Amino acid sequence: IYVFNFLASRWEEVGAKPGPVGRSRFRSVLHDGSMWCFAGWDRTNYFNDLWRFDLDKRMWHQVPASENIPAGLGQHTMVVDNEIMYVFGGYNVDTRAPENTLFAYKLPHQNRCQAAS
């Protein structure tokens, strides 16, 4: 992870290991002092894991999987509103097709994800 130091006008690497494997096509949101990252692709595998990066402590934490976690996704949309993180659409690795399901995940500490109705 890199952070931009506005006072020094330069990028600085944050030594935050271990963390998720390198990937593209993931999405991230900021919530309550953490960056939440979900899914992505490493040129071989699509992931459906959720990671939280504590911005103050500069540490990664893998969030335990829930019962109804979405399939491996890439190119999805993710936003947070009122303590709920929403994941919509993307490319579903299981069906090899665009996805139109909306999932809701209660933040910051409930590890339960469900399809939103």
Side-chain angles (χ1 to χ4, degrees):
I1 286 191
Y2 288 85
V3 296
F4 187 76
N5 183 326
F6 285 95
L7 296 175
S9 294
R10 69 172 186 250
W11 288 97
E12 299 170 354
E13 187 172 7
V14 175
K17 308 263 182 194
V21 298
R23 61 189 70 192
S24 63
R25 301 181 184 174
F26 71 95
R27 296 299 182 258
S28 61
V29 293
L30 294 176
H31 176 71
D32 198 29
S34 292
M35 177 175 67
W36 296 77
C37 300
F38 178 69
W41 179 65
D42 71 355
R43 302 184 117 205
T44 304
N45 302 299
Y46 276 89
F47 299 98
N48 66 342
D49 52 351
L50 178 62
W51 289 82
R52 182 178 66 83
F53 183 73
D54 186 308
L55 296 170
D56 290 328
K57 296 178 183 175
R58 296 187 174 187
M59 292 178 58
W60 283 107
H61 305 277
Q62 186 169 14
V63 180
S66 68
E67 298 169 7
N68 299 319
I69 195 162
L73 289 175
Q75 301 170 300
H76 48 288
T77 299
M78 195 163 80
V79 297
V80 171
D81 183 53
N82 289 329
E83 305 280 323
I84 298 175
M85 180 174 68
Y86 295 95
V87 175
F88 176 74
Y91 178 80
N92 183 318
V93 67
D94 290 340
T95 62
R96 299 189 183 276
E99 182 69 55
N100 69 350
T101 305
L102 176 65
F103 288 90
Y105 185 90
K106 177 77 171 135
L107 295 173
H109 29 249
Q110 181 181 346
N111 67 343
R112 185 153 177 107
C113 187
Q114 62 187 30
S117 38

